[in-house]
Amino acid sequence: MLLRTRRALAAGLAVAAAVGVAVAAAPAQAAPGPATSQSAHSADILDQLKAVPGLTVVSESATPPAGYRFFLLTFKQPVDHHNPRGATFEQRFQLLHKDTARPVVLHTTGYNMPTTAFRSEPTRLVDGNQISVEQRFFTPSRPANADWDDLDIWQAATDHHRIVKALKRVYAAKWISTGASKGGMTSVYHRRFYPEDVDGVVAYVAPNDADNDSDRAYDRFFQTVGNDPACRTKLADVQKEALKRRTALVAKYQAAATAANWTFTGVLGSIDKAYEMTVLDTVWAFWQYSTQADCATVPAKTATDDELYAFIDATAGFAFYADQGITPYSPYFYQAATQLGWPQPKFEHLRGLTKYPNLYQANSSLPPELRRRHDSRPMLDVDRWVRARGSQLLFVYGANDPWGAEQFVPSRRDSHLYVAPGANHGANIAALSPADAAAATATLRRWANVTAPAFAERASDGITDLDRAEPPRRRPF
Protein backbone atom coordinates (compact mmCIF):
# COMPACT_ATOMS: atom_id res chain seq x y z
CA MET A 1 0.00 0.00 0.00
CA LEU A 2 1.22 3.48 -0.73
CA LEU A 3 0.79 6.86 0.76
CA ARG A 4 -0.55 8.21 -2.51
CA THR A 5 -4.21 7.63 -3.34
CA ARG A 6 -4.44 4.94 -5.96
CA ARG A 7 -7.97 5.88 -6.87
CA ALA A 8 -6.64 9.15 -8.25
CA LEU A 9 -3.94 7.25 -10.10
CA ALA A 10 -6.46 4.91 -11.65
CA ALA A 11 -8.43 7.91 -12.84
CA GLY A 12 -5.31 9.40 -14.37
CA LEU A 13 -5.38 12.48 -12.17
CA ALA A 14 -1.64 12.39 -11.38
CA VAL A 15 -0.04 14.50 -8.71
CA ALA A 16 -2.24 17.60 -8.83
CA ALA A 17 -5.23 15.49 -7.89
CA ALA A 18 -3.19 13.76 -5.23
CA VAL A 19 -2.89 17.04 -3.38
CA GLY A 20 -6.55 17.82 -3.94
CA VAL A 21 -6.14 21.25 -5.50
CA ALA A 22 -6.83 23.07 -8.73
CA VAL A 23 -5.64 26.65 -8.92
CA ALA A 24 -4.10 28.64 -11.76
CA ALA A 25 -1.56 26.34 -13.34
CA ALA A 26 1.54 28.23 -14.42
CA PRO A 27 2.03 28.08 -18.20
CA ALA A 28 5.58 27.44 -19.32
CA GLN A 29 7.63 30.61 -19.73
CA ALA A 30 4.64 32.85 -18.96
CA ALA A 31 5.27 36.56 -18.66
CA PRO A 32 5.73 37.73 -15.07
CA GLY A 33 2.59 38.97 -13.38
CA PRO A 34 2.39 42.17 -11.36
CA ALA A 35 3.80 42.34 -7.86
CA THR A 36 1.14 42.01 -5.21
CA SER A 37 2.06 41.98 -1.51
CA GLN A 38 5.77 42.60 -1.90
CA SER A 39 7.34 44.45 1.04
CA ALA A 40 8.03 48.04 0.10
CA HIS A 41 11.68 47.91 1.18
CA SER A 42 12.62 44.91 -0.97
CA ALA A 43 13.45 44.53 -4.63
CA ASP A 44 11.08 42.75 -6.96
CA ILE A 45 10.88 39.10 -5.98
CA LEU A 46 11.63 37.91 -9.51
CA ASP A 47 14.92 39.78 -9.51
CA GLN A 48 15.79 38.40 -6.09
CA LEU A 49 15.08 34.84 -7.19
CA LYS A 50 17.18 35.22 -10.33
CA ALA A 51 20.09 36.35 -8.15
CA VAL A 52 20.11 33.13 -6.08
CA PRO A 53 23.03 30.91 -7.21
CA GLY A 54 21.88 27.57 -8.61
CA LEU A 55 18.23 28.62 -8.88
CA THR A 56 16.41 28.83 -12.21
CA VAL A 57 13.04 30.55 -12.61
CA VAL A 58 11.23 28.31 -15.09
CA SER A 59 7.99 30.28 -15.24
CA GLU A 60 5.74 32.69 -13.43
CA SER A 61 1.98 32.48 -13.65
CA ALA A 62 0.37 35.22 -15.71
CA THR A 63 -2.78 34.84 -13.59
CA PRO A 64 -1.60 34.20 -10.03
CA PRO A 65 -4.00 33.76 -7.12
CA ALA A 66 -5.02 37.04 -5.55
CA GLY A 67 -2.42 38.28 -3.09
CA TYR A 68 0.32 35.99 -4.37
CA ARG A 69 2.83 35.43 -7.13
CA PHE A 70 3.32 31.88 -8.28
CA PHE A 71 6.57 30.50 -9.70
CA LEU A 72 7.87 27.17 -10.95
CA LEU A 73 11.58 26.81 -10.33
CA THR A 74 14.48 24.36 -10.31
CA PHE A 75 17.56 24.19 -8.11
CA LYS A 76 20.85 22.59 -9.10
CA GLN A 77 21.69 19.77 -6.70
CA PRO A 78 24.65 17.38 -6.46
CA VAL A 79 23.59 13.85 -7.30
CA ASP A 80 25.70 12.76 -4.33
CA HIS A 81 26.10 15.33 -1.58
CA HIS A 82 29.20 13.47 -0.40
CA ASN A 83 30.73 14.56 -3.70
CA PRO A 84 29.50 18.14 -4.18
CA ARG A 85 31.74 18.72 -7.21
CA GLY A 86 30.41 15.68 -9.05
CA ALA A 87 27.40 15.24 -11.30
CA THR A 88 24.31 17.39 -10.73
CA PHE A 89 20.59 17.34 -11.48
CA GLU A 90 17.80 19.92 -11.48
CA GLN A 91 15.31 19.53 -8.64
CA ARG A 92 11.86 21.02 -9.20
CA PHE A 93 10.02 23.13 -6.67
CA GLN A 94 7.30 25.75 -6.68
CA LEU A 95 6.95 29.02 -4.81
CA LEU A 96 3.75 30.69 -3.70
CA HIS A 97 5.06 34.16 -2.83
CA LYS A 98 3.16 36.59 -0.63
CA ASP A 99 5.67 38.88 1.07
CA THR A 100 9.33 38.52 2.00
CA ALA A 101 8.45 39.72 5.51
CA ARG A 102 6.03 36.80 6.06
CA PRO A 103 7.05 33.32 7.29
CA VAL A 104 7.88 30.58 4.80
CA VAL A 105 6.35 27.11 4.87
CA LEU A 106 8.56 24.42 3.38
CA HIS A 107 6.18 21.79 2.04
CA THR A 108 8.03 18.50 1.56
CA THR A 109 6.03 16.42 -0.88
CA GLY A 110 7.86 13.11 -0.48
CA TYR A 111 6.77 12.46 -4.06
CA ASN A 112 6.26 14.50 -7.23
CA MET A 113 5.72 18.23 -7.06
CA PRO A 114 2.29 19.52 -8.08
CA THR A 115 2.44 22.17 -10.77
CA THR A 116 -0.68 24.02 -9.63
CA ALA A 117 -0.80 26.53 -6.80
CA PHE A 118 -2.15 25.34 -3.47
CA ARG A 119 -1.91 26.40 0.14
CA SER A 120 -1.25 23.85 2.86
CA GLU A 121 -2.91 24.20 6.23
CA PRO A 122 0.16 25.68 7.99
CA THR A 123 0.58 28.22 5.17
CA ARG A 124 -2.99 29.37 5.66
CA LEU A 125 -2.69 29.46 9.46
CA VAL A 126 0.41 31.66 9.41
CA ASP A 127 -0.60 33.59 6.26
CA GLY A 128 2.79 32.88 4.76
CA ASN A 129 4.77 32.09 1.66
CA GLN A 130 5.14 28.47 0.61
CA ILE A 131 7.61 26.37 -1.33
CA SER A 132 6.82 22.80 -2.31
CA VAL A 133 9.75 20.57 -3.26
CA GLU A 134 9.79 17.45 -5.41
CA GLN A 135 11.50 14.44 -3.86
CA ARG A 136 14.74 13.43 -5.57
CA PHE A 137 14.45 10.55 -8.08
CA PHE A 138 10.81 11.30 -8.84
CA THR A 139 10.76 12.37 -12.46
CA PRO A 140 11.76 14.83 -13.71
CA SER A 141 13.91 15.43 -10.60
CA ARG A 142 15.96 12.34 -11.36
CA PRO A 143 19.65 12.35 -12.30
CA ALA A 144 20.66 10.97 -15.68
CA ASN A 145 21.97 7.40 -15.33
CA ALA A 146 20.83 7.49 -11.73
CA ASP A 147 22.72 5.49 -9.10
CA TRP A 148 19.91 4.50 -6.75
CA ASP A 149 22.32 4.26 -3.85
CA ASP A 150 22.07 8.07 -3.83
CA LEU A 151 18.42 7.87 -2.81
CA ASP A 152 18.38 7.88 0.99
CA ILE A 153 16.98 10.08 3.75
CA TRP A 154 20.22 12.00 4.32
CA GLN A 155 20.65 12.86 0.65
CA ALA A 156 17.03 14.07 0.45
CA ALA A 157 17.37 16.07 3.68
CA THR A 158 20.48 17.71 2.27
CA ASP A 159 18.53 18.66 -0.86
CA HIS A 160 16.08 20.54 1.35
CA HIS A 161 18.88 22.04 3.44
CA ARG A 162 20.54 23.56 0.40
CA ILE A 163 17.25 25.03 -0.86
CA VAL A 164 16.47 26.54 2.55
CA LYS A 165 19.98 27.97 2.85
CA ALA A 166 19.75 29.51 -0.62
CA LEU A 167 16.32 31.09 -0.08
CA LYS A 168 16.99 32.47 3.39
CA ARG A 169 18.89 35.28 1.70
CA VAL A 170 15.47 36.32 0.31
CA TYR A 171 13.14 35.20 3.11
CA ALA A 172 14.61 36.10 6.50
CA ALA A 173 11.48 35.52 8.62
CA LYS A 174 10.61 32.28 10.39
CA TRP A 175 10.49 28.97 8.53
CA ILE A 176 8.08 26.09 9.18
CA SER A 177 8.36 22.67 7.55
CA THR A 178 5.32 20.55 6.81
CA GLY A 179 4.21 17.52 4.86
CA ALA A 180 1.78 14.65 5.08
CA SER A 181 2.33 10.92 5.02
CA LYS A 182 5.69 10.36 3.31
CA GLY A 183 5.99 14.13 3.05
CA GLY A 184 5.58 14.36 6.82
CA MET A 185 8.25 11.74 7.32
CA THR A 186 10.51 13.69 4.97
CA SER A 187 10.07 16.85 7.05
CA VAL A 188 11.04 14.94 10.20
CA TYR A 189 14.16 13.51 8.57
CA HIS A 190 15.17 16.98 7.39
CA ARG A 191 14.74 18.26 10.95
CA ARG A 192 16.81 15.40 12.33
CA PHE A 193 19.85 16.13 10.12
CA TYR A 194 19.51 19.94 9.89
CA PRO A 195 17.69 21.08 13.05
CA GLU A 196 18.61 24.75 12.55
CA ASP A 197 17.00 25.06 9.11
CA VAL A 198 13.43 25.62 10.28
CA ASP A 199 11.73 26.90 13.42
CA GLY A 200 9.15 24.15 13.68
CA VAL A 201 7.70 21.10 11.94
CA VAL A 202 4.05 20.13 11.43
CA ALA A 203 4.05 16.50 10.30
CA TYR A 204 0.68 15.06 9.31
CA VAL A 205 -0.13 11.33 9.44
CA ALA A 206 3.57 10.40 9.32
CA PRO A 207 4.26 6.67 9.82
CA ASN A 208 7.20 5.65 11.97
CA ASP A 209 8.07 2.06 11.16
CA ALA A 210 11.20 1.83 13.29
CA ASP A 211 10.69 -1.87 14.04
CA ASN A 212 10.05 -3.33 10.62
CA ASP A 213 10.63 -7.01 11.43
CA SER A 214 8.75 -7.94 14.56
CA ASP A 215 5.93 -5.47 15.14
CA ARG A 216 2.28 -6.50 15.27
CA ALA A 217 0.93 -2.97 15.57
CA TYR A 218 -0.97 -3.19 12.30
CA ASP A 219 -2.71 -6.44 13.23
CA ARG A 220 -3.80 -4.91 16.53
CA PHE A 221 -5.07 -1.84 14.68
CA PHE A 222 -7.28 -3.84 12.31
CA GLN A 223 -8.70 -5.84 15.20
CA THR A 224 -10.08 -2.70 16.86
CA VAL A 225 -10.45 0.08 14.25
CA GLY A 226 -13.82 1.79 14.11
CA ASN A 227 -16.70 1.22 16.49
CA ASP A 228 -18.52 -1.56 14.62
CA PRO A 229 -17.18 -5.13 14.74
CA ALA A 230 -19.71 -6.07 12.04
CA CYS A 231 -17.99 -3.67 9.63
CA ARG A 232 -14.61 -5.30 10.26
CA THR A 233 -16.17 -8.70 9.66
CA LYS A 234 -17.74 -7.59 6.37
CA LEU A 235 -14.41 -6.22 5.14
CA ALA A 236 -12.64 -9.44 6.03
CA ASP A 237 -15.35 -11.38 4.18
CA VAL A 238 -14.79 -9.23 1.07
CA GLN A 239 -11.14 -10.30 1.02
CA LYS A 240 -12.01 -13.95 1.60
CA GLU A 241 -14.65 -14.02 -1.11
CA ALA A 242 -12.36 -12.24 -3.56
CA LEU A 243 -9.69 -14.89 -3.11
CA LYS A 244 -12.21 -17.72 -3.28
CA ARG A 245 -13.58 -16.28 -6.53
CA ARG A 246 -10.12 -15.57 -7.93
CA THR A 247 -10.74 -17.19 -11.35
CA ALA A 248 -13.86 -15.20 -12.16
CA LEU A 249 -12.56 -11.89 -10.81
CA VAL A 250 -9.11 -12.16 -12.41
CA ALA A 251 -10.95 -12.63 -15.72
CA LYS A 252 -12.69 -9.29 -15.11
CA TYR A 253 -9.33 -7.75 -14.21
CA GLN A 254 -7.82 -9.10 -17.42
CA ALA A 255 -10.64 -7.63 -19.47
CA ALA A 256 -10.06 -4.22 -17.90
CA ALA A 257 -6.30 -4.55 -18.43
CA THR A 258 -6.73 -5.46 -22.09
CA ALA A 259 -9.01 -2.49 -22.66
CA ALA A 260 -6.57 -0.09 -20.94
CA ASN A 261 -3.34 -1.68 -22.28
CA TRP A 262 -2.07 -2.46 -18.80
CA THR A 263 0.87 -4.86 -18.49
CA PHE A 264 2.19 -6.84 -15.53
CA THR A 265 5.56 -8.23 -16.57
CA GLY A 266 7.86 -5.42 -15.46
CA VAL A 267 7.28 -5.45 -11.70
CA LEU A 268 4.99 -8.05 -10.13
CA GLY A 269 5.35 -10.48 -13.03
CA SER A 270 1.74 -11.59 -13.48
CA ILE A 271 -1.79 -10.30 -13.30
CA ASP A 272 -2.56 -12.98 -10.70
CA LYS A 273 0.03 -11.50 -8.31
CA ALA A 274 -1.31 -8.02 -9.00
CA TYR A 275 -4.80 -9.27 -8.20
CA GLU A 276 -3.74 -10.80 -4.90
CA MET A 277 -1.85 -7.65 -3.91
CA THR A 278 -4.92 -5.50 -4.62
CA VAL A 279 -7.13 -7.78 -2.54
CA LEU A 280 -4.63 -7.64 0.33
CA ASP A 281 -4.71 -3.85 0.09
CA THR A 282 -8.50 -3.55 0.25
CA VAL A 283 -9.10 -3.34 3.99
CA TRP A 284 -6.11 -1.05 4.46
CA ALA A 285 -7.31 1.24 1.68
CA PHE A 286 -10.83 1.33 3.09
CA TRP A 287 -9.72 2.70 6.45
CA GLN A 288 -7.07 4.94 4.90
CA TYR A 289 -9.53 6.73 2.61
CA SER A 290 -12.98 6.13 4.11
CA THR A 291 -14.78 6.69 7.40
CA GLN A 292 -16.94 4.66 9.72
CA ALA A 293 -20.01 5.95 7.87
CA ASP A 294 -18.80 4.22 4.70
CA CYS A 295 -19.22 0.80 6.29
CA ALA A 296 -22.72 0.84 4.80
CA THR A 297 -21.15 0.56 1.34
CA VAL A 298 -19.26 -2.67 2.07
CA PRO A 299 -20.91 -5.53 0.17
CA ALA A 300 -22.06 -8.68 1.91
CA LYS A 301 -20.24 -11.92 1.23
CA THR A 302 -23.25 -12.96 -0.84
CA ALA A 303 -22.65 -10.09 -3.29
CA THR A 304 -22.33 -10.85 -6.98
CA ASP A 305 -18.95 -11.02 -8.70
CA ASP A 306 -19.66 -7.67 -10.34
CA GLU A 307 -20.50 -6.03 -7.02
CA LEU A 308 -17.43 -7.47 -5.34
CA TYR A 309 -15.11 -6.43 -8.17
CA ALA A 310 -16.57 -2.91 -8.28
CA PHE A 311 -16.12 -2.40 -4.53
CA ILE A 312 -12.49 -3.57 -4.56
CA ASP A 313 -11.74 -1.43 -7.58
CA ALA A 314 -13.33 1.66 -6.03
CA THR A 315 -11.59 1.05 -2.71
CA ALA A 316 -8.10 -0.17 -3.63
CA GLY A 317 -7.88 0.34 -7.39
CA PHE A 318 -6.91 -2.48 -9.74
CA ALA A 319 -5.00 -0.06 -11.98
CA PHE A 320 -2.33 0.60 -9.40
CA TYR A 321 -0.48 -2.72 -9.57
CA ALA A 322 -0.20 -2.70 -13.33
CA ASP A 323 3.26 -1.74 -14.53
CA GLN A 324 1.89 1.61 -15.67
CA GLY A 325 0.49 2.42 -12.22
CA ILE A 326 3.28 1.21 -10.00
CA THR A 327 6.47 2.06 -11.91
CA PRO A 328 6.29 5.84 -11.34
CA TYR A 329 6.46 5.11 -7.61
CA SER A 330 9.69 3.12 -7.71
CA PRO A 331 11.49 5.83 -5.67
CA TYR A 332 9.00 5.36 -2.85
CA PHE A 333 9.20 1.58 -2.86
CA TYR A 334 13.00 1.73 -3.07
CA GLN A 335 13.10 3.93 0.03
CA ALA A 336 10.64 1.67 1.81
CA ALA A 337 12.69 -1.41 0.98
CA THR A 338 16.04 0.07 1.94
CA GLN A 339 15.34 2.37 4.90
CA LEU A 340 11.79 3.50 5.64
CA GLY A 341 10.23 0.11 6.26
CA TRP A 342 6.72 -0.98 5.38
CA PRO A 343 3.68 -2.40 7.17
CA GLN A 344 3.51 -6.17 7.46
CA PRO A 345 0.05 -7.34 8.52
CA LYS A 346 -0.07 -11.10 8.94
CA PHE A 347 -3.44 -11.63 7.17
CA GLU A 348 -4.15 -14.60 9.42
CA HIS A 349 -7.80 -14.58 8.36
CA LEU A 350 -6.69 -15.37 4.79
CA ARG A 351 -4.65 -18.47 5.53
CA GLY A 352 -5.12 -21.08 2.86
CA LEU A 353 -6.50 -18.55 0.39
CA THR A 354 -3.36 -16.65 -0.65
CA LYS A 355 -0.91 -18.09 -3.18
CA TYR A 356 2.22 -15.95 -2.82
CA PRO A 357 4.06 -16.00 0.52
CA ASN A 358 5.71 -12.72 1.56
CA LEU A 359 4.10 -10.89 -1.35
CA TYR A 360 3.07 -7.91 0.76
CA GLN A 361 6.42 -6.16 0.99
CA ALA A 362 8.16 -3.22 -0.66
CA ASN A 363 10.50 -5.27 -2.86
CA SER A 364 7.51 -6.92 -4.53
CA SER A 365 6.57 -3.54 -5.97
CA LEU A 366 10.01 -2.88 -7.47
CA PRO A 367 11.49 -4.14 -10.73
CA PRO A 368 14.01 -6.91 -9.97
CA GLU A 369 17.08 -4.74 -10.60
CA LEU A 370 16.06 -2.29 -7.85
CA ARG A 371 15.29 -4.80 -5.09
CA ARG A 372 17.48 -4.34 -2.01
CA ARG A 373 17.98 -5.52 1.55
CA HIS A 374 16.52 -3.47 4.37
CA ASP A 375 18.72 -1.48 6.76
CA SER A 376 16.88 -0.76 10.03
CA ARG A 377 19.51 1.61 11.46
CA PRO A 378 18.31 4.90 9.90
CA MET A 379 14.76 4.59 11.24
CA LEU A 380 15.96 3.50 14.68
CA ASP A 381 18.23 6.52 14.76
CA VAL A 382 15.42 8.92 13.80
CA ASP A 383 13.04 7.32 16.30
CA ARG A 384 15.53 7.73 19.15
CA TRP A 385 16.26 11.31 18.15
CA VAL A 386 12.58 12.30 18.01
CA ARG A 387 11.93 10.73 21.42
CA ALA A 388 14.95 12.19 23.18
CA ARG A 389 16.23 15.30 21.42
CA GLY A 390 13.80 16.44 18.74
CA SER A 391 12.23 19.83 19.41
CA GLN A 392 9.47 21.98 17.90
CA LEU A 393 7.81 18.93 16.35
CA LEU A 394 4.02 18.76 16.03
CA PHE A 395 2.44 15.48 14.90
CA VAL A 396 -1.17 15.04 13.78
CA TYR A 397 -2.72 11.59 13.25
CA GLY A 398 -6.16 10.22 12.40
CA ALA A 399 -7.64 7.78 14.90
CA ASN A 400 -8.88 5.45 12.12
CA ASP A 401 -5.84 5.73 9.85
CA PRO A 402 -3.82 2.52 9.46
CA TRP A 403 -0.68 4.59 8.97
CA GLY A 404 -1.11 5.86 12.52
CA ALA A 405 -0.71 2.39 13.96
CA GLU A 406 2.96 3.22 14.44
CA GLN A 407 3.42 6.85 15.39
CA PHE A 408 6.33 9.09 16.20
CA VAL A 409 6.60 9.70 19.95
CA PRO A 410 7.82 13.26 20.49
CA SER A 411 10.04 14.45 23.30
CA ARG A 412 8.99 17.07 25.83
CA ARG A 413 11.10 19.68 24.06
CA ASP A 414 8.22 21.88 22.90
CA SER A 415 6.87 18.97 20.86
CA HIS A 416 3.32 17.66 20.63
CA LEU A 417 1.13 14.84 19.31
CA TYR A 418 -2.57 15.12 18.51
CA VAL A 419 -5.06 12.53 17.25
CA ALA A 420 -8.16 13.54 15.29
CA PRO A 421 -11.19 11.49 16.41
CA GLY A 422 -12.61 9.24 13.70
CA ALA A 423 -10.30 10.72 11.06
CA ASN A 424 -8.47 8.83 8.33
CA HIS A 425 -5.23 9.53 6.44
CA GLY A 426 -6.50 13.01 5.64
CA ALA A 427 -6.39 14.16 9.27
CA ASN A 428 -5.31 17.73 9.93
CA ILE A 429 -5.48 20.40 12.61
CA ALA A 430 -9.01 21.38 11.60
CA ALA A 431 -10.15 17.80 12.30
CA LEU A 432 -8.92 17.86 15.92
CA SER A 433 -11.17 18.54 18.88
CA PRO A 434 -11.72 22.30 19.33
CA ALA A 435 -9.36 22.46 22.30
CA ASP A 436 -6.61 20.52 20.53
CA ALA A 437 -7.03 22.51 17.31
CA ALA A 438 -6.69 25.77 19.24
CA ALA A 439 -3.59 24.53 21.06
CA ALA A 440 -1.94 23.23 17.87
CA THR A 441 -2.70 26.45 16.00
CA ALA A 442 -1.32 28.58 18.82
CA THR A 443 1.88 26.51 18.88
CA LEU A 444 2.36 26.80 15.13
CA ARG A 445 1.81 30.57 15.15
CA ARG A 446 4.19 30.98 18.08
CA TRP A 447 6.91 29.12 16.18
CA ALA A 448 6.23 31.28 13.12
CA ASN A 449 6.21 34.46 15.27
CA VAL A 450 2.80 35.61 14.02
CA THR A 451 -0.48 36.45 15.66
CA ALA A 452 -3.79 35.34 14.17
CA PRO A 453 -3.53 36.54 10.55
CA ALA A 454 -6.28 38.73 9.15
CA PHE A 455 -7.47 36.80 6.14
CA ALA A 456 -10.46 34.76 5.03
CA GLU A 457 -10.64 31.38 6.72
CA ARG A 458 -11.48 29.72 3.44
CA ALA A 459 -10.68 30.29 -0.20
CA SER A 460 -12.31 33.66 -0.84
CA ASP A 461 -8.91 35.09 -1.79
CA GLY A 462 -8.85 32.99 -4.94
CA ILE A 463 -6.63 30.07 -3.93
CA THR A 464 -7.70 26.63 -2.89
CA ASP A 465 -6.82 25.59 0.63
CA LEU A 466 -6.18 21.93 1.25
CA ASP A 467 -9.05 20.57 3.29
CA ARG A 468 -6.72 17.77 4.36
CA ALA A 469 -3.02 18.06 4.99
CA GLU A 470 -2.25 16.11 1.87
CA PRO A 471 -4.18 13.16 0.61
CA PRO A 472 -2.97 9.70 1.18
CA ARG A 473 -0.74 7.75 -1.01
CA ARG A 474 -0.76 4.11 -1.24
CA ARG A 475 0.53 2.47 1.94
CA PRO A 476 2.65 4.52 3.99
CA PHE A 477 4.17 6.92 1.82
Side-chain angles (χ1 to χ4, degrees):
M1 180 154 280
L2 178 78
L3 297 178
R4 182 172 300 280
T5 171
R6 288 165 297 160
R7 287 177 289 184
L9 293 170
L13 298 181
V15 180
V19 293
V21 303
V23 184
Q29 305 301 331
T36 51
S37 300
Q38 185 68 21
S39 294
H41 67 273
S42 62
D44 183 79
I45 185 61
L46 178 60
D47 294 331
Q48 293 185 75
L49 293 172
K50 287 181 176 179
V52 175
L55 187 150
T56 299
V57 178
V58 177
S59 65
E60 180 177 357
S61 175
T63 56
Y68 296 88
R69 290 174 70 175
F70 180 58
F71 299 89
L72 298 181
L73 311 103
T74 65
F75 191 75
K76 183 176 290 187
Q77 297 280 16
V79 174
D80 179 4
H81 289 289
H82 294 294
N83 181 22
R85 295 185 179 181
T88 63
F89 73 101
E90 294 293 323
Q91 185 170 29
R92 291 198 308 172
F93 70 105
Q94 61 154 276
L95 166 65
L96 189 64
H97 168 80
K98 188 176 187 72
D99 192 314
T100 55
R102 300 299 304 171
V104 179
V105 172
L106 165 62
H107 176 262
T108 55
T109 66
Y111 291 92
N112 296 99
M113 179 205 76
T115 55
T116 51
F118 69 96
R119 185 168 54 186
S120 66
E121 186 177 58
T123 305
R124 180 175 62 82
L125 292 175
V126 304
D127 194 26
N129 310 284
Q130 177 179 284
I131 63 173
S132 184
V133 183
E134 188 162 70
Q135 176 82 14
R136 63 165 41 212
F137 279 57
F138 279 85
T139 55
S141 298
R142 182 179 297 180
N145 303 314
D147 180 350
W148 286 71
D149 289 342
D150 293 324
L151 177 56
D152 62 35
I153 61 170
W154 179 82
Q155 296 278 4
T158 307
D159 290 340
H160 291 95
H161 169 66
R162 293 184 75 250
I163 291 175
V164 171
K165 184 178 179 180
L167 286 178
K168 277 191 174 181
R169 66 178 65 196
V170 178
Y171 297 99
K174 298 291 187 178
W175 281 66
I176 301 294
S177 181
T178 193
S181 198
K182 184 172 182 286
M185 297 161 70
T186 303
S187 67
V188 174
Y189 306 151
H190 174 213
R191 179 74 166 172
R192 189 267 176 271
F193 291 115
Y194 299 99
E196 303 303 318
D197 276 1
V198 300
D199 300 283
V201 174
V202 181
Y204 296 91
V205 296
N208 177 36
D209 206 338
D211 184 4
N212 196 73
D213 296 325
S214 60
D215 69 84
R216 298 298 295 267
Y218 300 102
D219 295 296
R220 291 193 294 271
F221 171 87
F222 287 114
Q223 290 167 3
T224 58
V225 61
N227 55 22
D228 183 4
C231 181
R232 298 194 294 269
T233 298
K234 287 174 66 178
L235 286 165
D237 285 343
V238 164
Q239 289 180 301
K240 292 176 185 177
E241 287 300 313
L243 293 175
K244 291 176 182 177
R245 306 186 206 181
R246 183 189 296 259
T247 300
L249 296 187
V250 168
K252 293 181 179 295
Y253 192 7
Q254 183 62 69
T258 300
N261 294 316
W262 298 336
T263 60
F264 300 89
T265 55
V267 180
L268 282 164
S270 73
I271 192 171
D272 197 56
K273 281 187 177 180
Y275 176 80
E276 185 163 307
M277 188 73 95
T278 306
V279 172
L280 295 179
D281 264 354
T282 300
V283 174
W284 186 294
F286 178 86
W287 291 111
Q288 179 171 343
Y289 307 134
S290 304
T291 66
Q292 182 71 41
D294 295 307
C295 287
T297 69
V298 181
K301 62 182 178 180
T302 55
T304 66
D305 290 351
D306 286 344
E307 291 169 337
L308 198 60
Y309 183 93
F311 174 78
I312 295 171
D313 193 31
T315 302
F318 283 111
F320 183 80
Y321 283 109
D323 295 334
Q324 292 75 12
I326 201 170
T327 300
Y329 294 91
S330 290
Y332 156 66
F333 289 108
Y334 180 90
Q335 286 196 276
T338 55
Q339 293 187 324
L340 304 183
W342 62 92
Q344 297 188 79
K346 305 307 178 186
F347 300 109
E348 293 176 352
H349 63 293
L350 301 179
R351 284 184 180 178
L353 296 174
T354 56
K355 290 171 58 175
Y356 305 102
N358 301 315
L359 178 64
Y360 207 69
Q361 58 173 294
N363 271 324
S364 296
S365 296
L366 285 167
E369 65 272 15
L370 292 182
R371 293 171 187 171
R372 299 288 192 274
R373 295 185 64 179
H374 181 69
D375 181 359
S376 63
R377 291 172 295 179
M379 293 304 99
L380 291 170
D381 168 74
V382 172
D383 179 71
R384 287 191 295 264
W385 179 83
V386 169
R387 291 172 183 265
R389 294 189 289 136
S391 63
Q392 289 77 47
L393 296 165
L394 193 157
F395 296 96
V396 177
Y397 292 96
N400 287 357
D401 176 22
W403 290 113
E406 290 196 313
Q407 302 175 355
F408 282 101
V409 179
S411 74
R412 296 183 179 180
R413 296 172 178 258
D414 194 11
S415 294
H416 314 272
L417 186 152
Y418 298 99
V419 178
N424 59 19
H425 202 53
N428 63 359
I429 291 173
L432 299 175
S433 70
D436 285 350
T441 300
T443 296
L444 168 61
R445 288 176 173 161
R446 171 169 56 83
W447 291 343
N449 194 30
V450 298
T451 55
F455 66 95
E457 281 299 312
R458 297 307 305 160
S460 60
D461 55 5
I463 185 168
T464 296
D465 295 324
L466 296 183
D467 290 324
R468 309 190 305 176
E470 180 181 343
R473 310 200 158 154
R474 187 218 124 155
R475 257 197 2 219
F477 317 42

